[in-house]
Amino acid sequence: DRIPNKVAPWYSGPSLLEFLDNMNKITRNINAPFMMPIGAKYRDLGTMVEGRIEAGVVQKTSSLIMMPNRESISISALYGETEEEIPHATCGDQIRMRIRGIEEEDIMPGFVLCSPKRLVHCVSAFEAQINIVDLRSILSAGFNCVCHVHSATEEVTFEALLHKLEPRTGRKSKKPPPFASRGMGIIARLRVTSGGGKICVERFEDYPQLGRFTLRDQGQTIAVGKITKLLLDED
């Protein structure tokens, strides 16, 4: 029920349940080529992988590619949240699948299963719009931290601070800022420094779930961001 006016005369909006009922549904990329980051892997009568489908649909008959290995994958069993097999799954579903074509030890969390029609980009550097949430001091070019994007966790380095963003308008500064501190918005270039030096990601505007990330340092979240440009090898 809505709060009586005598209890909260300053509020005349809907109740919590009314607000939740009227929320817009999340738009899912059901018609986009299939993409599913690998959240976990194990052996159970074969190689098993778990993850949430972030784009497209998958069927037991689907042929897929494991990135960044570029291994051709086929599905021998598909499961939802129960032990029973399912014929297909769509964007937003949390699923498990038994796959053929790759061994369990050759898969790492953060790898992405893709449709052969559209492979996920695998890059060593990218540009991003970043909001500094909590930082004990300042950061500048050369600052190291850990990037969490979908199910991947990689160490990254701030290669360059490119622009400072005006708080109200979001306009980019002409000159690059010498440093960034708490509360600032910036455009920066990040480079992956751990693992194989590459990460499977997409631009936020193309695949939001594969293009937003958090940055952590010394056990705390210091920034959130979204990828605006992928720096491909030919760039």
Side-chain angles (χ1 to χ4, degrees):
D1 295 332
R2 294 192 179 190
I3 297 176
N5 187 56
K6 62 181 180 181
V7 176
W10 45 268
Y11 182 76
S12 60
S15 67
L16 174 61
L17 292 181
E18 286 179 313
F19 179 80
L20 294 175
D21 288 340
N22 293 323
M23 285 181 67
N24 293 327
K25 291 184 178 179
I26 298 174
T27 54
R28 303 283 189 186
N29 292 339
I30 293 178
N31 297 321
F34 176 79
M35 285 193 189
M36 186 189 87
I38 304 300
K41 45 95 180 206
Y42 55 94
R43 290 195 64 81
D44 182 11
L45 301 176
T47 301
M48 296 287 296
V49 294
E50 293 182 2
R52 186 175 70 181
I53 302 173
E54 300 295 7
V57 299
V58 65
Q59 302 179 49
K60 189 175 177 180
T61 56
S62 299
S63 296
L64 304 171
I65 302 292
M66 181 71 78
M67 290 292 287
N69 298 25
R70 293 184 178 268
E71 298 276 4
S72 297
I73 303 297
S74 59
I75 303 171
S76 56
L78 190 61
Y79 303 92
E81 296 183 6
T82 66
E83 295 299 319
E84 297 180 2
E85 286 195 45
I86 56 177
H88 57 80
T90 62
C91 181
D93 291 344
Q94 186 78 25
I95 64 168
R96 295 174 294 124
M97 60 173 77
R98 184 175 290 113
I99 57 177
R100 297 188 295 261
I102 191 170
E103 295 299 321
E104 179 260 345
E105 57 264 25
D106 296 326
I107 304 172
M108 294 291 290
F111 283 15
V112 179
L113 267 177
C114 313
S115 165
K117 298 177 182 177
R118 166 69 161 84
L119 300 181
V120 68
H121 286 101
C122 188
V123 299
S124 56
F126 56 87
E127 291 180 8
Q129 178 180 325
I130 299 170
N131 291 325
I132 310 297
V133 178
D134 192 6
L135 194 61
R136 291 172 182 168
S137 56
I138 61 172
L139 67 80
S140 59
F143 183 86
N144 298 311
C145 55
V146 178
C147 177
H148 296 262
V149 53
H150 56 82
S151 58
T153 303
E154 300 287 353
E155 294 180 10
V156 296
T157 296
F158 277 78
E159 198 168 66
L161 306 186
L162 304 176
H163 305 281
K164 177 183 176 181
L165 300 175
E166 292 295 329
R168 293 185 179 179
T169 62
R171 292 175 60 182
K172 299 178 182 177
S173 64
K174 294 182 179 179
K175 294 183 178 180
F179 64 88
S181 58
R182 181 176 180 176
M184 285 179 59
I186 58 172
I187 302 291
R189 183 167 64 244
L190 301 177
R191 182 164 295 276
V192 181
T193 55
S194 65
K198 291 199 171 185
I199 191 170
C200 294
V201 290
E202 291 291 332
R203 292 192 311 164
F204 179 81
E205 65 181 82
D206 297 329
Y207 291 86
Q209 295 85 351
L210 300 175
R212 56 176 169 234
F213 59 88
T214 59
L215 299 177
R216 291 178 61 83
D217 182 45
Q218 298 180 4
Q220 71 178 38
T221 298
I222 62 170
V224 295
K226 57 183 181 181
I227 297 173
T228 55
K229 182 179 179 181
L230 300 173
L231 299 177
L232 307 177
D233 290 339
E234 56 265 26
D235 292 344

